[in-house]
Amino acid sequence: MTVQETRSIHFPFDNSYARLPDRFFAKLKPSPVRAPQLIRLNEELARHLGLDPESLSSPEGVAILAGNRVPEGAEPIAMAYAGHQFGHWVPQLGDGRAMLLGEVIDRSGVRRDIQLKGSGYTPFSRSGDGRAVLGPVLREYILGEAMAALGIPTTRALAAVATGEQVAREELLPGAVLTRVAQSHVRVGTFQFFAARGDEEALRLLADHVIERHYPDAFRSDIPYRALLDKVVARQAQLIAQWQLVGFIHGVMNTDNMSIAGETIDYGPCAYMDSYHPDTVYSSIDHMGRYAYSNQPGIAHWNLSVLAQTLLPLLGEDEEAAVAEAQEAINAFPEKFKVAYLTGIRAKLGLVKEREDDADLAQGLLNCMGENNADFTLTFRRLCDASAASTENDRGVRELFADPAAFDDWAVKWRQRLGDEDSNDDMRQSAMRMVNPVYIARNHLVEKVIKAATEAADFTPFDQLMTVLALPFEEKPEQVRYSLPPEPEQVVLQTFCGT
Ligand code: AMP
Ligand code: MG
């Protein structure tokens, strides 16, 4: 007879959000699932959080990751929040299918939420069932980890567990639970929740909580809440610029999906664009293209103005002065975004020096890509090889353009500009290869691994894709198929929400 070994699992919880007043959340327990099975554990992240991967993979650990068991020190809560969904005000949303188990301090000293997503019914579930479907769980796992590997702030996936249960959507689909790790799950919508209720005390407590957690410097400022707003504006400007620079389209930039800590959060119908078209939309629910690629900076700006509005009671006694503070903070977004974007696009083009018309040069390339159906990621990656005085290595990049001569015309201007730089070709090319990824989580690849997992319970393609995406800047000849754009018959035009 074999005895199944269970070790006692220690989560070094140090919960702060659960100390806030009761109206910030609902205390609850996850709902158990029938037959939990570990799909993948992010061992490196586990260790970083001070957790033991081996015990987390044991039956007892998997029971925790599935919500069948609550670890010692956890205080499961569903957080309250509101939000604007596609511009429409919804006074109460909240964690309808997620619960925060607690917080740990990671090896770098950063406080991290550990949350189960898909763990069952909560008081915020409204008409939902509190469950998550395997496909979207894998999508969030893949895209979130790919984002982290690109060096872009994001929530992380600690684990994915299959529940052994079916979830009823338009059809019956396999269920799963994702364990998500975030600097915090406080959203613009969390502030909206209390602002809409006129609960100034809660607003202040929430603002103090996030300042202490994410922006402690703000306490030293004359108006800490103004400093908080400035810092959130700055982080979002940086984040959205980074999305634009890798062609990422979030898909549902509702205010409840915008993190105060400045991380990419709530991966739903998100995707990376293949060929460059600024109006690209993948989400099946985004009929008007509100969250199209090119709209993302403007939407972030709008969401931040909503945040600013919620902070008005904290920005000054005098309403007029408070509005002026808020306005000034929000008005800084476009310039901050522009600076972050320009810095990034210069690096992508191999430029170190700053020249007045660099933005035009970059825009010229993008326009040319749009007109010639050129692949976003590969164009920049192959530009690294071409980055020399001679046109000798232009073949790879120019063949991505429907009319290669259009690229040649642009490249003349680019080479003139490169002539201004002090770097030698080798130095410049290797610097460019560190900012222009070769592997992104391309939609057709993501769909394929999800299909294998959900239809044939085959997780090997998923694991292989995760391995490739972990090192997005290191080109390996045997992985070439992961770098290529979809063939016409592989193109995925629509992505679907997790719900
Ligand atoms: P999302 O589209 O994932 O950002 O979710 C928007 C809102 O709907 C949030 O309040 C979620 O908690 C809630 N929600 C999404 N899916 C479900 C579900 N299956 N059951 C309950 N609530 C859900
Ligand atoms: Mg959400």
Side-chain angles (χ1 to χ4, degrees):
M1 196 178 83
T2 54
V3 178
Q4 234 172 22
E5 188 187 14
T6 57
R7 298 154 193 255
S8 121
I9 299 172
H10 177 64
F11 278 73
F13 283 121
D14 175 24
N15 307 329
S16 64
Y17 205 82
R19 301 279 93 79
L20 290 166
D22 282 353
R23 58 194 191 281
F24 280 68
F25 47 75
K27 288 192 175 150
L28 74 178
K29 291 261 183 299
S31 316
V33 299
R34 201 169 57 81
Q37 214 179 351
L38 184 64
I39 297 169
R40 190 177 173 94
L41 176 72
N42 190 338
E43 297 193 4
E44 203 183 312
L45 180 61
R47 277 188 285 271
H48 190 64
L49 296 171
L51 303 170
D52 172 33
E54 219 179 301
S55 50
L56 269 182
S57 325
S58 73
E60 192 190 341
V62 176
I64 291 171
L65 298 170
N68 284 12
R69 208 180 170 125
V70 178
E72 204 183 313
E75 294 169 276
I77 53 175
M79 290 166 68
Y81 56 85
H84 276 91
Q85 299 193 303
F86 289 88
H88 299 288
W89 168 239
V90 186
Q92 180 166 311
L93 290 161
D95 288 333
R97 53 163 168 172
M99 55 196 76
L100 177 61
L101 285 182
E103 301 153 29
V104 299
I105 312 291
D106 73 17
R107 295 242 158 109
S108 326
V110 178
R111 181 177 290 275
R112 307 267 177 195
D113 278 2
I114 300 184
Q115 191 206 53
L116 300 181
K117 186 169 175 183
S119 49
Y121 193 74
T122 85
F124 304 109
S125 296
R126 296 174 292 158
S127 55
D129 58 2
R131 291 300 183 193
V133 175
L134 176 61
V137 163
L138 295 181
R139 176 175 278 275
E140 175 153 358
Y141 199 120
I142 298 165
L143 274 93
E145 288 308 292
M147 193 68 95
L150 289 167
I152 301 175
T154 176
T155 61
R156 302 285 306 266
L158 176 63
V161 169
T163 60
E165 292 177 359
Q166 302 274 319
V167 179
R169 294 295 181 260
E170 267 157 31
E171 52 190 315
L172 284 179
L173 295 166
V177 177
L178 180 81
T179 307
R180 178 160 77 174
V181 175
Q183 280 194 45
S184 85
H185 284 84
V186 178
R187 306 142 189 274
V188 169
T190 320
F191 281 89
Q192 287 181 278
F193 181 84
F194 296 111
R197 286 157 182 77
D199 189 345
E200 204 178 309
E201 187 201 38
L203 274 176
R204 198 176 294 273
L205 286 168
L206 181 63
D208 289 345
H209 175 87
V210 297
I211 291 178
E212 194 172 329
R213 207 163 162 173
H214 306 305
Y215 306 102
D217 288 354
F219 278 133
R220 286 200 283 280
S221 158
D222 288 344
I223 313 176
Y225 305 116
R226 165 65 201 271
L228 166 64
L229 187 55
D230 289 338
K231 285 168 193 290
V232 178
V233 166
R235 275 208 203 167
Q236 283 294 339
Q238 185 69 37
L239 177 68
I240 309 299
Q242 287 178 286
W243 288 358
Q244 301 303 94
L245 292 164
V246 295
F248 175 75
I249 303 166
H250 182 283
V252 201
M253 285 179 70
N254 293 335
T255 55
D256 53 303
N257 291 337
M258 181 179 257
S259 151
I260 294 297
E263 291 181 326
T264 312
I265 192 170
D266 278 9
Y267 290 84
C270 52
Y272 289 86
M273 107 179 128
D274 292 304
S275 50
Y276 174 79
H277 294 291
D279 52 358
T280 303
V281 175
Y282 287 102
S283 167
S284 61
I285 56 171
D286 191 358
H287 308 295
M288 309 288 284
R290 178 179 169 92
Y291 299 134
Y293 173 78
S294 59
N295 284 353
Q296 296 190 126
I299 290 290
H301 193 196
W302 189 84
N303 289 350
L304 290 164
S305 73
V306 170
L307 174 66
Q309 208 157 9
T310 70
L311 290 175
L312 285 178
L314 309 183
L315 289 174
E317 300 274 296
D318 165 9
E319 201 185 317
E320 215 173 298
V323 170
E325 294 288 345
Q327 196 63 55
E328 201 178 75
I330 311 160
N331 287 352
F333 179 85
E335 185 60 24
K336 284 196 159 75
F337 169 78
K338 194 173 136 195
V339 169
Y341 180 80
L342 255 179
T343 305
I345 201 89
R346 277 199 184 95
K348 284 175 88 71
L349 294 174
L351 308 175
V352 176
K353 295 183 177 169
E354 295 179 14
R355 292 284 182 265
E356 192 70 32
D357 35 17
D358 290 344
D360 291 340
L361 181 71
Q363 196 54 51
L365 175 62
L366 292 170
N367 293 346
C368 183
M369 286 160 69
E371 284 154 19
N372 287 279
N373 230 16
D375 183 79
F376 183 83
T377 305
L378 274 192
T379 297
F380 283 102
R381 183 67 187 191
R382 294 189 183 171
L383 213 51
C384 309
D385 308 326
S387 183
S390 94
T391 57
E392 208 177 329
N393 292 321
D394 279 12
R395 198 173 61 91
V397 59
R398 68 193 297 280
E399 74 182 18
L400 297 169
F401 289 72
D403 172 16
F407 170 79
D408 298 338
D409 289 344
W410 175 81
V412 171
K413 291 177 225 152
W414 177 50
R415 289 204 161 86
Q416 269 166 8
R417 175 63 184 81
L418 285 179
D420 251 13
E421 295 285 322
D422 298 328
S423 56
N424 68 42
D425 293 351
D426 284 348
M427 258 166 59
R428 186 174 54 253
Q429 290 183 5
S430 55
M432 288 174 73
R433 288 192 187 102
M434 285 192 273
V435 293
N436 289 311
V438 60
Y439 308 113
I440 52 154
R442 288 185 186 272
N443 231 344
H444 68 293
L445 301 175
V446 174
E447 295 284 325
K448 210 169 151 188
V449 306
I450 289 177
K451 199 165 177 243
T454 53
E455 290 177 12
D458 178 6
F459 293 97
T460 312
F462 166 69
D463 283 327
Q464 288 168 340
L465 182 61
M466 293 308 302
T467 305
V468 172
L469 296 176
L471 294 169
F473 301 102
E474 278 180 36
E475 203 157 349
K476 300 196 180 112
E478 71 277 15
Q479 293 180 348
V480 69
R481 76 181 177 89
Y482 291 97
S483 71
L484 300 177
E487 295 295 332
E489 71 279 8
Q490 296 176 311
V491 173
V492 178
L493 294 172
Q494 269 204 334
T495 49
F496 296 87
C497 246
T499 46

